[in-house]
Amino acid sequence: MQRPEAWPRPHPGEGAAAAQAGGAAPPARAGEPAGSRLQEPSLYTIKAVFILDNDGHRLLAKYYDDTFPSTKEQMAFEKNVFNKTSRTDSEIAFFGGMTIVYKSSIDLFLYVVGSSYENELMLMSVLTCLFESLNHMLRKNVEKRWLLENMDGAFLVLDEIVDGGVILESDPQQVIQKVNFRVLQSAKEQIKWSLLK
């Protein structure tokens, strides 16, 4: 039996550019209608993570592909998502061909965005990890004032959970442990350099 040729899946955002440039697409199998093939699995599951205040203004945002290449497009997307989700009690939304899971806490809205075919449970595990890690780091005060005062730590938390759209960690205890280690290493370096001066 001959094995079909493997087609590598491009990083999210590269597929549209390849299609526009006339790049090759995997052929449909014999007797299979075009477009009915399942998506190949990928590690690149997260398109974006952002936190907005209760007025819909950006506090923290990281985009992991070129779906929204400019800040203007990103902020327009965030505003549309906020308008759609801020008055509902659900946790999942489908908007603009994307799956969005979100959570509100006091005066914050936390969002994790994936493509339309991503598993909602995977996205929700990232959102839960982000919220629980921030909850621990901010000492149970997940609100705008405390987040703004600890923004560097919030970015460290996010970097430990997702890197380049790939989920690295979904256990909040592990994330906090890694963040504390990085902060401790940074403090040691600062002390070392201050002693050398």
Side-chain angles (χ1 to χ4, degrees), residues 22-86:
R29 292 187 182 126
E32 181 180 294
S36 68
R37 293 183 66 185
L38 294 174
Q39 293 287 334
E40 293 292 324
S42 173
L43 292 175
Y44 301 101
T45 56
I46 308 298
K47 287 185 165 291
V49 176
F50 54 91
I51 301 176
L52 307 177
D53 65 12
N54 58 355
D55 296 321
H57 298 117
R58 176 192 283 195
L59 300 175
L60 177 149
K62 286 195 94 170
Y63 285 77
Y64 299 104
D65 70 3
D66 61 354
T67 303
F68 301 101
S70 71
T71 303
K72 183 178 179 182
E73 290 172 323
Q74 292 171 3
M75 293 183 87
F77 172 70
E78 292 165 10
K79 182 178 179 182
N80 290 334
V81 168
F82 178 78
N83 289 337
K84 180 174 180 161
T85 60
S86 63

